[in-house]
Amino acid sequence: MKQSLTLIPTLREMPSDIEVKSHKMLLRAGFLRQSTSGVYSYLPLAKRVLNKLEKMISEEMEKLGAIEITLPSLQPKDILQHSFRFNEKDEEVLHLKDRNERQLILAPSHEEVMTQLMRDEIKSYKKLPITFYQIQSKFRDESRPRFGLLRSKEFLMKAAYSYHATEESLETTYLQMSEVYSNILSRLGLYYEVVDADTRSIGGLKAQEFIIASENGETTIAYSDESNYASNIEVAPVVSTYPSSEKPMNPLEKVETPQVKTIEEVCSFFTKEQTDCMKSIVFNVDGEFVVVLVRGDHQINPIKLRNVLKAHSLSLATEEEIQQLLGCTLGSIGPIKLPVNVKVVADLAIQSIRNGIAGANEDGYHYINVNPERDFAINSYEDIRYIQEGDPSPDGNGTIRLKKGIEVGHIRMSGTELTEKFNANFIDENGQSKPMYMGSFGLGISRLLAVMAEMYQDDHGFVWPKQFSPYDVHLIPVNINDEVQFDLASQLYHILTSYHFDVLFDDRDERAGVKFIDSDLIGLPVRVTIGKRASEGIVEVKIRRTGEIFEWAKEELIDRLNEYFRSH
Amino acid sequence: MKQSLTLIPTLREMPSDIEVKSHKMLLRAGFLRQSTSGVYSYLPLAKRVLNKLEKMISEEMEKLGAIEITLPSLQPKDILQHSFRFNEKDEEVLHLKDRNERQLILAPSHEEVMTQLMRDEIKSYKKLPITFYQIQSKFRDESRPRFGLLRSKEFLMKAAYSYHATEESLETTYLQMSEVYSNILSRLGLYYEVVDADTRSIGGLKAQEFIIASENGETTIAYSDESNYASNIEVAPVVSTYPSSEKPMNPLEKVETPQVKTIEEVCSFFTKEQTDCMKSIVFNVDGEFVVVLVRGDHQINPIKLRNVLKAHSLSLATEEEIQQLLGCTLGSIGPIKLPVNVKVVADLAIQSIRNGIAGANEDGYHYINVNPERDFAINSYEDIRYIQEGDPSPDGNGTIRLKKGIEVGHIRMSGTELTEKFNANFIDENGQSKPMYMGSFGLGISRLLAVMAEMYQDDHGFVWPKQFSPYDVHLIPVNINDEVQFDLASQLYHILTSYHFDVLFDDRDERAGVKFIDSDLIGLPVRVTIGKRASEGIVEVKIRRTGEIFEWAKEELIDRLNEYFRSH
C-alpha cells in the first residue's frame, strides 16, 4: 500500500486529557479516532490489526468445531425478562423504539437470543453438543467511557455459546475453550492469568476470566505470593481465622463524639485501632433493610453479600431511607437498638471484636465497649468482605497480593438456569424432556487491540509483533525526488509485494525526519530505508523491536526478510 | 463439516404468510430465522455464503485501491443536521439516548461521519483522491418489514466513500466503481441493469443504481423496448409532446355531482375519458400550500416535484388542512377560485386539455368545460408526472415499458454539497481552501444474498453457484449403520477435505429420503452418495444444477470433481 493512498493521521502532540497509555498511542500513531463519547472509528491501520486478530480467532474457533453464525444487534426488550446478566432497568443497556412503538434494545450480549433460537430449532439429544460463535459489535452504555477501547459503548467481541445434554459434556467444551483462549493469548504474546470469577450473575456452575495485568485495568486480582492461586477479588474467599479474645467485656457506654464520622476520625478520637471498630452499612435487599457489619479495616464485597443473601437486587440505602429508618446520618449507623424488623449480617471478623466501637444511630454519639451477641443480635456471620493484601491465600499457600488487570476473556459454565428460563429443552435418549446445559464464552477483540497497544510500544511508538502488525515492512525512500532512490524503492515495492510481504510504501514528499518519526510511531517490524547507497543497490534495514540496523544488498533482501519473518 | 455438528433446521412445511420467494426458501432450507420483526439471524449456511460474498467484494475493493475502515454504528443525533439523505424527523432513523441523555442514532448511513473524519484529518490536495470502504450493519426503521432480507431493519452493506480535489477525479473513481460493481454482479452470475437515479437527495451531480429485475422489487424501472435506455421511474423524464387542441372552448359550467369523487367515477358520470380530467392534489411545500395538477390518467411523481420546486420538505396536505384551506374534502379539489396565496403547478400534459373536468372546491360539484389559462392561472408547467408504459423512451428510441426490480447497489457523485456542509475543505496546489468532491457508493450484501436466493432455486430447493455455495460437496452415506457405506464415506470425507473441498458430511441417522430432500433444499453444487455399490468402491454423483447422475469409482472422484469445479 502506498502511504499517500491511505489514512494514517499521526500526531506530533497529544491531547493532554488522555489517561491511558494504549489509547494515547493508538491516537498518536493514527490508528483510532473518537467519533463521539465512548465510540470510536477504527482507521485503516487498526482495521488491519483487527482483521488479523479476527482471522486467527476464527481459525481457533473452527479447530474446536464451533460454527459461525450472525445474530442481530436489534433485539426485543422483553428478551431481558429471562436474562441473568441484565435486567430491563439496567443502565448499561441501550433502549430504543421503532416507529410502531415496539421496544427494542441493542444487544449487550447474545446468549439470550441464541438460547431462544436453540429452543426453537433443537429438539433432540442427537443434535447435542453444539457450539456457535460470532464476531460482532456489542453495545453497552458505559457510565464513564474514558479509557478508550477498554470502556467503549460499541465494542467488538467474539462470543461463543455451547449447548449440551449433560454437565460432563459442558465441562469438556469448557475445558477445550479454556485451552483455545490460552492458545489465542499465547499466539498474541500476551501474559495472562486465569482467575476465578463470579458465577451468580449467570446462574452458573463455574466461571473464569482471562486477565492481562495492567495498571489501567478495571479488574482487581487477588493472587498468592507463593502459589499460582489467582482470583477476581469479587469472588476470592477469605480464609482468615479470628481467634476470640480472652479480654473481659467492659460495660457498654455511650460517648459524645462531636464531628466524628469516618473510621479514621473514630480511631483518632478514641486512640484505638481500625480493627477495634465496626463499620455499619444499610443495604436495601429485595426491598428490605439489612445492616451489614464489617471490621473498620475491611471493605464490604457486594457480590459476596448478594450471593450469601441469595438476593435478586441489592443496593445501598439512600440517606433519606437511613434518616427515616434510624433517625441519623450515614456516619452514625450502628447495630445496637435497631428496629425489630432490621436484620444484621456480620462479616466473620466481627466475631472476635472485644470492647469495640460502633455508631449509636444518633448523630454525635458512639458506643464503646461494644460486644457482639451481648449488646446486639446478629442474624448470621458470613464471609462478606473483600480479600485484601496480607490475607492468607485461600489455597493455603502464601499471602495475598493485589494487582489491577484487564479482563479480555471469560468462560462460563452457565448450567441450566438460562435454558430453563427459556424452556430450551431437548428429548434425551430415554424420551425425557430436559433443559440443555449451556456454556458461554467471550473474548474482547477491541480490548485485545487495546491490550496489545499497551504492551507493544516503547517511547517512540508501537512495536508490533510480526504476526499481528498492520503491515510487515515499512519501505522508505529517504528522498522521493531522488530518481535513483525512488526507482529502487518502487522496484523493491513490487518485488516484496510479489513475495507476499505486506508493504507500506512511504511515497510521500516529506522530510526524512518526519518519515522516520512516523515510521517509529506506526511500528512495523521491519523498516527498509533507501538512501544514499541506493546507487550501489544497498538498502538499510532496521528491526523495530531490537533497533538493530543492517545494510543489505537488494539481491539478498528477500531471503533475509524471509528468514527474519520465519524466525521467532 | 459433519452435519450433526452444525445447525441446518430445514422445514417440511412453510409458514403461509411469507410472500417472497427468496425469503421462503431461505427459511425452508434452514439459512435464516426471524429474530424479531424485520430483524434476522443468519444461521451457519447463510453465514458461509455471506463470508464468501464479503471476501469477494473486499478483493474487488482492494483492487480499486479502496482502504478498509470501520466506522461506528452509534452516532450523535446532531450529525443529521448536515445530512442530505436523512433528517432528524426521518422515521427511518432509529433514535436512542445514553444514560447521560445524550441523543444518539443508529447509523442509517456513514457518509456523514466519514466526511467529518475527512474534515478533521485531511488538509492537503496531496492526500487526495482517497477512497474508503467498510462492510458493516446499517440500521433503518422500515415501515413494513415484510419482505425478509429485502426490507430489514438491520442489514449488511458494503459502503464506500471517496474524496477528491476535482470533479474529474471524482468522475474517474465513479466510473471505476461502476465497473467494479458490474464485475461483482457478473461474478455472482446476476443479470443487472444500471439505471439513472435521483441525485437531489444527496445534493449530487450524477447517480445510478444497479437493479436486479424481480417481481418482489420495490423499485420500478422504466426501460425502452427498442434501446438500452433504463431509469428508475423516480427520475425518468417524460418527453411526450401534447398538441394543443383546435376545438373551441365551451363556457365553464358548474355541475352537481353527488357521490362522485374518484377519477373513475367522474369519467363514468360524464362519460368522458381520463385524459379529459384534471387531478388536483394539495401539497405542503416548505410550509406553503401548492395545488398540483396532473391529467386523470397520470400519477404525480413527488421526487420530480420536489426537485422542480427546489423544496426541502414536501408532503401531502392533511384532510384538515384541505378543509381549512378550501372548505372541501380530498375528492373535490380543483384549480378554480383558489385563495390568492396558493400556487398552481401543472404537469405539461395539462396544457393540451380542452373543455376538461375539474373539482369545484365544493363537495358534490365539479366544473366542466374547464380550460387552463382561461379559467385559472398556472404558475408553471413542469414535468412532474411518472413516466408510464406507452410513453416514448426519453432517448428517442422505442416505447417505455415498466418492470419491478431490486436495488442492490448505488453509485453517486455527490459533489461538494455534503463536504460544504461539513466544512470538509482542503488546500489546493495554489494554497486555496476548497471543499472536497465526494463520491458515495453502496452495495447491499444481505440484499445480494436475497437476490441470489431468488435466482438460484428450483422447485426442490437452492441451486447455489459453485463459487458462492455454502459448501462444495454434500457427502451422503445412504445408511450410516451400514459399516461399509459409513467407512467409505468417512474415508472420502477426509480425502476430499485434504484436497480443500468444503464438504458437508451428512452423518445423521436419518432415512435416505429425508437426507435427499434436505440435500436438494440446501442445494450444494455436487452430491456424492455412498450407497449399495460402496463395497465395489463406486459412488453416485449428482450435479444439482443439471440433475445429471454419474457413477464414479472412488479413485477417480478427486480428478473428476476438480475438473467439474474448474469448469464453468
Side-chain angles (χ1 to χ4, degrees):
Chain A
M1 172 57 63
K2 289 183 181 165
Q3 206 160 332
S4 64
L5 296 178
T6 185
L7 179 66
I8 310 174
T10 54
L11 300 174
R12 290 291 164 267
E13 284 170 36
M14 273 307 298
S16 55
D17 58 336
I18 305 298
E19 303 171 40
V20 184
K21 199 176 149 191
S22 60
H23 193 46
K24 211 174 262 196
M25 197 62 87
L26 285 167
L27 292 171
R28 225 180 118 196
F31 281 60
L32 201 70
R33 284 298 180 263
Q34 176 167 296
S35 172
T36 185
S37 167
V39 180
Y40 299 93
S41 293
Y42 298 101
L43 303 193
L45 293 182
K47 183 63 182 159
R48 292 184 69 89
V49 179
L50 287 177
N51 282 349
K52 291 189 178 185
L53 286 175
E54 288 180 25
K55 185 162 176 280
M56 185 269 277
I57 290 168
S58 291
E59 276 168 23
E60 293 284 343
M61 286 297 116
E62 303 276 336
K63 271 191 227 165
L64 186 127
I67 313 294
E68 197 175 6
I69 195 168
T70 297
L71 302 168
S73 293
L74 289 174
Q75 298 185 357
K77 180 183 172 184
D78 56 19
I79 206 164
L80 293 181
Q81 286 170 357
H82 299 313
S83 173
F84 275 97
R85 310 245 309 282
F86 300 96
N87 64 58
E88 294 186 16
K89 289 178 193 156
D90 216 315
E91 290 204 301
E92 267 189 280
V93 179
L94 287 160
H95 291 263
L96 63 160
K97 279 183 192 166
D98 72 6
R99 62 167 85 198
N100 299 316
E101 295 290 310
R102 208 174 270 120
Q103 296 194 304
L104 301 171
I105 57 163
L106 283 179
S109 156
H110 287 85
E111 57 192 5
E112 296 83 11
V113 73
M114 186 71 236
T115 301
Q116 211 168 37
L117 190 63
M118 285 298 289
R119 175 197 63 200
D120 297 340
E121 306 300 344
I122 298 272
K123 308 291 180 196
S124 162
Y125 72 95
K126 290 186 195 170
K127 293 296 292 172
L128 299 175
I130 190 163
T131 304
F132 300 95
Y133 79 97
Q134 69 168 352
I135 291 175
Q136 207 183 350
S137 290
K138 295 193 196 280
F139 299 86
R140 289 184 199 164
D141 195 358
E142 287 285 345
S143 56
R144 284 177 303 170
R146 59 198 175 94
F147 273 11
L149 296 182
L150 295 178
R151 290 275 186 111
S152 56
K153 289 181 185 159
E154 180 174 348
F155 56 98
L156 201 58
M157 259 189 93
K158 189 285 299 171
Y161 305 109
S162 69
Y163 296 86
H164 309 266
T166 64
E167 191 175 324
E168 293 68 43
S169 166
L170 166 57
E171 191 161 17
T172 304
T173 296
Y174 179 90
L175 294 173
Q176 285 171 344
M177 196 66 82
S178 176
E179 206 171 304
V180 166
Y181 278 25
S182 300
N183 280 347
I184 289 170
L185 296 176
S186 301
R187 283 177 72 175
L188 296 175
L190 298 174
Y191 177 74
Y192 62 93
E193 285 165 272
V194 187
V195 308
D196 292 336
D198 183 34
T199 58
R200 174 53 169 61
S201 65
I202 43 105
L205 304 167
K206 190 175 181 187
Q208 288 173 302
E209 290 168 345
F210 288 75
I211 307 275
I212 312 286
S214 162
E215 58 190 10
N216 295 314
E218 81 293 9
T219 299
T220 305
I221 313 168
Y223 66 99
S224 164
D225 60 0
E226 284 178 23
S227 73
N228 56 11
Y229 176 82
S231 171
N232 192 320
I233 57 158
E234 289 182 350
V235 293
V238 172
V239 297
S240 306
T241 51
Y242 308 99
S244 43
S245 172
E246 300 297 310
K247 274 193 279 182
M249 295 188 194
N250 299 334
L252 182 70
E253 201 179 319
K254 191 159 150 186
V255 178
E256 197 174 349
T257 53
Q259 308 304 328
V260 170
K261 301 216 154 191
T262 66
I263 289 292
E264 289 73 21
E265 287 163 354
V266 169
C267 291
S268 124
F269 185 88
F270 291 106
T271 59
K272 285 277 205 169
E273 297 299 315
Q274 292 198 358
T275 49
D276 294 320
C277 300
M278 299 178 206
K279 247 190 291 199
S280 311
I281 315 277
V282 184
F283 279 86
N284 184 331
V285 180
D286 294 331
E288 296 194 351
F289 294 110
V290 175
V291 170
V292 178
L293 297 184
V294 290
R295 217 166 66 183
D297 58 326
H298 291 156
Q299 305 297 328
I300 295 174
N301 177 331
I303 289 169
K304 282 186 182 179
L305 184 63
R306 190 190 57 195
N307 290 353
V308 301
L309 297 178
K310 300 191 190 342
H312 287 284
S313 80
L314 182 120
S315 57
L316 286 170
T318 64
E319 289 190 42
E320 293 72 40
E321 286 170 336
I322 293 167
Q323 193 59 249
Q324 209 174 352
L325 186 74
L326 305 174
C328 67
T329 60
L330 218 61
S332 303
I333 305 168
I336 297 170
K337 294 183 193 152
L338 290 169
V340 280
N341 57 343
V342 175
K343 273 194 205 164
V344 177
V345 175
D347 184 63
L348 298 166
I350 294 292
Q351 281 178 292
S352 66
I353 290 184
R354 178 62 48 102
N355 301 322
I357 304 169
N361 292 326
E362 189 178 345
D363 288 345
Y365 290 90
H366 278 81
Y367 281 110
I368 60 170
N369 299 327
V370 180
N371 289 290
E373 314 292 346
R374 185 192 70 174
D375 300 325
F376 61 94
I378 288 173
N379 294 72
S380 66
Y381 287 104
E382 308 281 358
D383 170 14
I384 53 173
R385 70 164 173 98
Y386 279 114
I387 204 165
Q388 55 193 35
E389 294 213 330
D391 279 332
S393 175
D395 71 347
N397 298 310
T399 300
I400 284 299
R401 297 269 170 273
L402 299 182
K403 63 182 165 191
K404 291 284 184 185
I406 296 166
E407 185 212 315
V408 292
H410 63 258
I411 53 178
R412 297 186 185 126
M413 284 175 64
S414 309
T416 60
E417 288 201 57
L418 193 65
T419 51
E420 279 178 44
K421 287 216 172 195
F422 277 98
N423 280 318
N425 293 337
F426 70 101
I427 305 295
D428 75 4
E429 288 170 278
N430 306 315
Q432 299 290 311
S433 178
K434 288 180 176 173
M436 302 177 199
Y437 284 84
M438 179 180 181
S440 177
F441 312 95
L443 197 60
I445 298 182
S446 38
R447 285 201 153 197
L448 283 176
L449 176 63
V451 165
M452 292 175 75
E454 174 166 329
M455 157 153 283
Y456 294 115
Q457 61 169 270
D458 63 17
D459 291 344
H460 305 290
F462 285 122
V463 187
W464 291 105
K466 294 170 196 171
Q467 257 200 297
F468 300 96
S469 174
Y471 294 91
D472 302 322
V473 174
H474 207 165
L475 183 67
I476 305 182
V478 172
N479 177 2
I480 65 160
N481 300 310
D482 179 315
E483 214 169 292
V484 178
Q485 288 182 22
F486 195 74
D487 284 353
L488 179 55
S490 302
Q491 192 189 327
L492 289 176
Y493 179 50
H494 286 108
I495 295 173
L496 286 165
T497 310
S498 71
Y499 277 90
H500 300 295
F501 287 101
D502 277 340
V503 182
L504 184 64
F505 179 21
D506 192 347
D507 61 338
R508 298 173 304 159
D509 189 5
E510 295 281 4
R511 284 178 298 114
V514 169
K515 292 185 187 185
F516 292 151
I517 288 171
D518 279 350
S519 179
D520 280 349
L521 264 177
I522 294 169
L524 306 183
V526 172
R527 187 178 90 192
V528 176
T529 309
I530 293 97
K532 291 205 176 123
R533 300 191 68 184
S535 54
E536 306 162 58
I538 304 280
V539 301
E540 183 196 277
V541 175
K542 182 179 165 192
I543 307 300
R544 177 72 180 84
R545 192 170 60 79
T546 61
E548 289 166 281
I549 292 182
F550 306 97
E551 291 205 319
W552 289 341
K554 61 179 184 182
E555 293 79 11
E556 60 183 335
L557 187 62
I558 295 292
D559 282 348
R560 289 201 181 260
L561 287 180
N562 268 329
E563 196 180 319
Y564 175 72
F565 277 96
R566 269 189 219 126
S567 70
H568 285 290
Chain B
M1 173 57 63
K2 289 183 181 165
Q3 206 161 331
S4 63
L5 296 178
T6 185
L7 179 67
I8 311 174
T10 55
L11 301 173
R12 290 291 164 267
E13 284 171 35
M14 274 304 299
S16 55
D17 58 336
I18 305 298
E19 303 173 39
V20 183
K21 199 177 149 191
S22 59
H23 194 47
K24 210 175 265 196
M25 197 61 87
L26 285 167
L27 292 173
R28 226 182 116 195
F31 281 61
L32 201 70
R33 285 296 180 266
Q34 176 168 296
S35 171
T36 183
S37 167
V39 180
Y40 300 92
S41 292
Y42 299 102
L43 305 193
L45 292 182
K47 182 62 182 159
R48 291 184 70 89
V49 178
L50 287 176
N51 282 349
K52 290 188 178 184
L53 286 173
E54 288 181 25
K55 185 162 177 280
M56 185 268 279
I57 290 168
S58 290
E59 277 168 23
E60 293 285 342
M61 286 297 115
E62 302 276 337
K63 271 191 227 165
L64 186 128
I67 313 294
E68 196 175 7
I69 195 168
T70 297
L71 303 168
S73 293
L74 288 175
Q75 298 185 356
K77 180 183 173 183
D78 56 18
I79 206 164
L80 292 181
Q81 286 170 359
H82 299 313
S83 173
F84 275 97
R85 310 245 308 283
F86 300 96
N87 64 57
E88 294 185 17
K89 289 177 195 156
D90 216 314
E91 290 205 299
E92 266 189 280
V93 180
L94 286 160
H95 292 264
L96 61 161
K97 278 182 194 167
D98 72 6
R99 62 167 86 197
N100 299 315
E101 295 291 307
R102 208 174 270 119
Q103 295 194 304
L104 301 170
I105 57 163
L106 282 179
S109 156
H110 288 85
E111 58 192 2
E112 297 82 11
V113 72
M114 187 72 234
T115 302
Q116 211 170 36
L117 190 63
M118 285 298 289
R119 174 197 64 201
D120 296 339
E121 306 300 344
I122 298 272
K123 308 291 180 196
S124 160
Y125 73 94
K126 290 185 194 169
K127 292 296 294 171
L128 299 175
I130 190 161
T131 304
F132 299 94
Y133 81 96
Q134 68 166 352
I135 291 175
Q136 208 183 349
S137 288
K138 295 194 198 281
F139 298 86
R140 287 183 200 165
D141 196 359
E142 287 285 347
S143 55
R144 285 178 301 168
R146 60 198 173 94
F147 273 11
L149 295 181
L150 294 177
R151 290 276 184 110
S152 56
K153 290 181 184 161
E154 179 174 348
F155 55 98
L156 201 59
M157 259 190 93
K158 188 284 300 171
Y161 306 110
S162 69
Y163 296 86
H164 309 265
T166 64
E167 192 175 323
E168 295 68 45
S169 165
L170 166 57
E171 192 161 16
T172 304
T173 296
Y174 180 89
L175 295 173
Q176 285 171 344
M177 196 65 83
S178 176
E179 208 170 301
V180 166
Y181 278 24
S182 301
N183 281 347
I184 289 170
L185 297 176
S186 301
R187 284 177 70 176
L188 296 176
L190 298 175
Y191 178 75
Y192 62 93
E193 286 166 271
V194 187
V195 308
D196 293 335
D198 183 35
T199 59
R200 174 53 170 63
S201 64
I202 43 104
L205 305 166
K206 191 176 180 186
Q208 287 173 303
E209 289 167 344
F210 288 75
I211 307 275
I212 313 286
S214 161
E215 58 190 10
N216 296 315
E218 81 295 9
T219 300
T220 306
I221 313 168
Y223 66 100
S224 165
D225 61 0
E226 283 179 22
S227 73
N228 56 12
Y229 176 83
S231 171
N232 190 321
I233 57 159
E234 288 181 351
V235 294
V238 171
V239 297
S240 307
T241 51
Y242 308 99
S244 44
S245 172
E246 301 296 312
K247 275 194 276 181
M249 295 189 195
N250 298 336
L252 184 67
E253 202 179 316
K254 190 160 150 187
V255 179
E256 198 177 348
T257 52
Q259 309 303 333
V260 170
K261 300 217 152 190
T262 66
I263 289 293
E264 289 72 22
E265 287 163 355
V266 169
C267 290
S268 123
F269 185 90
F270 291 108
T271 59
K272 285 278 206 169
E273 298 298 317
Q274 292 199 358
T275 49
D276 295 319
C277 299
M278 300 179 205
K279 247 192 290 202
S280 312
I281 314 276
V282 184
F283 279 87
N284 184 331
V285 181
D286 292 332
E288 296 194 351
F289 294 109
V290 175
V291 170
V292 178
L293 297 182
V294 291
R295 217 167 65 183
D297 59 326
H298 293 157
Q299 304 298 329
I300 294 173
N301 177 333
I303 288 168
K304 283 186 180 178
L305 183 63
R306 192 190 56 195
N307 290 352
V308 301
L309 297 178
K310 301 192 192 334
H312 286 284
S313 80
L314 182 122
S315 57
L316 286 171
T318 63
E319 289 191 41
E320 293 71 41
E321 286 170 338
I322 293 166
Q323 193 59 251
Q324 209 173 355
L325 186 75
L326 306 174
C328 67
T329 59
L330 218 60
S332 302
I333 304 167
I336 297 170
K337 295 185 190 152
L338 288 169
V340 280
N341 56 344
V342 175
K343 273 195 205 162
V344 177
V345 175
D347 183 63
L348 297 165
I350 294 292
Q351 282 178 293
S352 66
I353 290 183
R354 180 62 48 102
N355 300 323
I357 304 169
N361 291 327
E362 191 179 343
D363 290 344
Y365 291 89
H366 278 81
Y367 281 110
I368 60 170
N369 299 328
V370 181
N371 289 290
E373 314 292 346
R374 184 192 71 175
D375 301 324
F376 62 94
I378 286 173
N379 293 73
S380 66
Y381 287 104
E382 308 281 359
D383 170 15
I384 51 170
R385 72 165 171 98
Y386 280 114
I387 203 165
Q388 56 193 34
E389 294 215 330
D391 280 331
S393 175
D395 70 348
N397 298 310
T399 301
I400 284 299
R401 298 268 171 272
L402 299 182
K403 64 181 165 193
K404 291 285 184 185
I406 296 167
E407 185 211 316
V408 292
H410 64 258
I411 52 177
R412 299 187 184 126
M413 285 173 63
S414 310
T416 60
E417 288 201 58
L418 193 65
T419 51
E420 278 179 45
K421 288 217 170 193
F422 277 96
N423 281 317
N425 293 337
F426 70 101
I427 306 295
D428 76 3
E429 288 170 279
N430 306 314
Q432 299 288 311
S433 178
K434 288 180 176 172
M436 302 177 199
Y437 284 84
M438 180 179 179
S440 178
F441 313 94
L443 197 60
I445 299 183
S446 37
R447 284 199 155 198
L448 284 176
L449 176 62
V451 165
M452 292 175 76
E454 174 166 330
M455 158 153 281
Y456 294 116
Q457 62 168 269
D458 64 16
D459 293 343
H460 305 291
F462 284 124
V463 188
W464 292 105
K466 294 170 197 170
Q467 258 200 298
F468 300 96
S469 174
Y471 293 91
D472 302 322
V473 174
H474 207 165
L475 182 68
I476 306 182
V478 172
N479 176 2
I480 65 160
N481 300 312
D482 178 316
E483 214 169 292
V484 178
Q485 288 182 21
F486 194 74
D487 283 353
L488 179 56
S490 303
Q491 192 189 329
L492 288 176
Y493 179 51
H494 286 109
I495 295 173
L496 285 164
T497 309
S498 70
Y499 277 90
H500 300 295
F501 287 101
D502 277 340
V503 183
L504 184 64
F505 179 22
D506 193 346
D507 61 339
R508 298 175 303 159
D509 189 5
E510 294 281 2
R511 284 179 297 112
V514 169
K515 293 184 184 185
F516 292 151
I517 289 171
D518 279 349
S519 180
D520 281 349
L521 264 176
I522 294 169
L524 307 183
V526 172
R527 186 178 90 194
V528 176
T529 309
I530 291 97
K532 290 204 178 124
R533 298 190 68 184
S535 55
E536 305 163 57
I538 304 280
V539 302
E540 184 195 275
V541 175
K542 182 178 166 191
I543 306 299
R544 177 72 180 83
R545 193 170 59 77
T546 60
E548 290 165 281
I549 292 181
F550 306 98
E551 290 204 319
W552 289 342
K554 61 178 184 181
E555 293 78 12
E556 60 182 336
L557 187 63
I558 295 292
D559 283 348
R560 290 204 180 258
L561 287 180
N562 268 329
E563 195 181 318
Y564 174 73
F565 278 96
R566 269 190 218 125
S567 71
H568 285 289

